[in-house]
Amino acid sequence: MEASVILPILKKKLAFLSGGKDRRSGLILTIPLCLEQTNMDELSVTLDYLLSIPSEKCKARGFTVIVDGRKSQWNVVKTVVLMLQNVVPAEVSLVCVVKPDEFWDKKVTHFCFWKEKDRLGFEVILVSANKLTRYIEPCQLTEDFGGSLTYDHMDWLNKRLVFEKFTKESTSLLDELALINNGSDKGNQQEKERSVDLNFLPSVDPETVLQTGHELLSELQQRRFNGSDGGVSWSPMDDELLAQPQVMKLLDSLREQYTRYQEVCRQRSKRTQLEEIQQKVMQVVNWLEGPGSEQLRAQWGIGDSIRASQALQQKHEEIESQHSEWFAVYVELNQQIAALLNAGDEEDLVELKSLQQQLSDVCYRQASQLEFRQNLLQAALEFHGVAQDLSQQLDGLLGMLCVDVAPADGASIQQTLKLLEEKLKSVDVGLQGLREKGQGLLDQISNQASWAYGKDVTIENKENVDHIQGVMEDMQLRKQRCEDMVDVRRLKMLQMVQLFKCEEDAAQAVEWLSELLDALLKTHIRLGDDAQETKVLLEKHRKFVDVAQSTYDYGRQLLQATVVLCQSLRCTSRSSGDTLPRLNRVWKQFTIASEERVHRLEMAITFHSNAEKILQDCPEEPEAINDEEQFDEIEAVGKSLLDRLTVPVVYPDGTEQYFGSPSDMASTAEHIRDRMKLVSLKRQQLRHPEMMTTES
């Protein structure tokens, strides 16, 4: 009988085992009667259940029954006592009927239990609650009878339910685990030949049952320890009432069977895991060697442009994405295999290592092929990118060469020429980079046969090689044509630079000649104070004229060179047409001014030479000095020179230009007049010697 079946009856507390013991160590059974009518059937069921709990050894010591009739009627008490004869006659040694004070005195005489001892089989005594300690120690009585023993009926009932549930579940679980373990031992002998059904699982969780048992055992041990230590409380859930040894025995059996079951599960899980790994490994290998390899075999081209290469790269990324899913499975499988290898089961080591090696070989080979293909497409993309950049550079250079040169000056020509050289150098660098990229790509293509799985890729490779070599040759030809055009353009531009230089230098010669003319008119005005100084000035003037002549000749040569260059370039010089007339005009003006300067200096030399001869005292030549014609000549030359100083230089176009400023001319004229006065005074002295005597 289980407590859960009669739980409503047990909750009524019609009878209970408090855990107290009499002086003979017999258990005390308490029947608390109440004012309400007691259901004898339920009481009988309760007594049957309670008396089934103690062990046979404990029952042999007998029971002391306390019938608490203080709240009940006499006939009910009598009925209960008589019922004990039928329920537990052999186990009851003493029945203590707790009577109310002065209530049953008259009725007791009608029925004496002690006279019926032989018939009942046990002794019945009537006792007051305060005198019950004469038969039972106070520490073995509950508080209802003035004792110190603590008893919680609901707590006892809950623990009893837990105990019975644990006993039932553990017993059932032991049977199931034994069946599983025994079946596994038989199945292991034929496991390699056929598949044995070992998927049967326990109906309850062994961990839960074990935990419940441990908690129950801990509670029993703790309560017993507290009771034995304190001496004031004694739990009914000790080793005699709730069979603590039975709990321990069940736990030991459960641990043993559960340990075997865990090993069975581990072996089963390992075998299942190994089979799953084998299946997944074959799935990965079959896909990589089948559809995966076929996808790579179908991809052999490199494209003929950046867009085509990018499209192939995108297609390859899709292939890689599909492969990555299988590679993720490979990583997971490799970890699982490594874990199984670390477990160290010798019987599976060879098979696991074989699976791991096969899986790794296939995955690494496929990953190498994917990486090779990706590198090849990346190299192709870079090659086409360099080719496109180079083509654009060549187009730009060709466009620059096809435009006719219309420079504004030599500096712009130099700038354009520099830009042209830079573009050509950039093209050289680009072509060199294209060759390097192309050669690297050709080297990679030559290694493509190593992962072709036996497929002949010669035709596909030849197309790729022809395309790469064709691109490089085409770029080389275009670059050569541009170089030829650059050479022609460079020569033409250098000639144009020379033309501009000649025109600029010719214009500069005109400027220099104009500056010489201006210097001649403004600074070359002195005629000297004597004949010697005038001769020096004349010599300097001739050198000055030589410089002007050289400048004029240099300008003429430059203008002749511009004519030749214009004829070579088939163009019209913009500046030489008016530069030559300007050069000739300035030279003509310089020539006229120079001749005038020479005439004046020559007249000044004649004037100063004659005047100096006369003014010097030369007694050796009195005839010369006295010659009147010389005086007249000096006077005539002096007047002519003075007149010439006042006359401007007249150019062919009618324009006039004076030497120096009026003050400069006045100073020069004044010096000549002073010299003429000295000559005139000398003449008078020669005519009238007495004047010289008088003066002296």
Side-chain angles (χ1 to χ4, degrees), residues 18-75:
S18 64
K21 296 180 181 180
D22 57 21
R23 290 184 174 92
R24 294 175 292 101
S25 298
L27 294 177
I28 298 175
L29 174 63
T30 304
I31 302 176
L33 300 177
C34 58
L35 295 176
E36 299 177 357
Q37 185 66 31
T38 301
N39 190 320
M40 294 302 164
D41 294 335
E42 293 182 349
L43 178 59
S44 177
V45 171
T46 302
L47 292 175
D48 289 341
Y49 176 75
L50 292 176
L51 293 175
S52 66
I53 294 174
S55 64
E56 294 299 327
K57 180 180 178 181
C58 184
K59 292 178 181 179
R61 290 195 290 267
F63 290 88
T64 294
V65 181
I66 299 177
V67 180
D68 188 1
R70 289 175 296 178
K71 297 180 181 180
S72 182
Q73 299 176 358
W74 166 248
N75 58 345

Side-chain angles (χ1 to χ4, degrees), residues 8 54 93 119 148 157 241 264 378 472 519 557 593 615 625 674 685:
S93 59
R119 187 173 63 85
S148 59
L157 183 57
L241 293 179
V264 169
Q378 183 62 34
M472 291 193 294
Q557 293 174 0
L615 293 176
I625 295 175
D674 291 343
Q685 290 176 354

Side-chain angles (χ1 to χ4, degrees), residues 106-118:
K106 295 180 180 180
K107 296 182 180 180
V108 170
T109 58
H110 299 288
F111 185 82
C112 296
F113 285 109
W114 63 272
K115 296 181 180 181
E116 301 293 332
K117 179 179 180 181
D118 295 336

Side-chain angles (χ1 to χ4, degrees), residues 273-274 277-278 281 330-343 348-349 351-360:
Q273 187 178 10
L274 183 59
I277 288 175
Q278 289 176 337
V281 166
Y330 157 71
V331 173
E332 180 181 357
L333 288 174
N334 200 34
Q335 293 175 350
Q336 294 177 2
I337 294 175
L340 292 176
L341 289 174
N342 292 332
D348 299 327
L349 286 179
E351 184 177 1
L352 286 172
K353 288 183 178 179
S354 176
L355 286 174
Q356 188 180 43
Q357 188 64 41
Q358 181 184 12
L359 183 63
S360 298

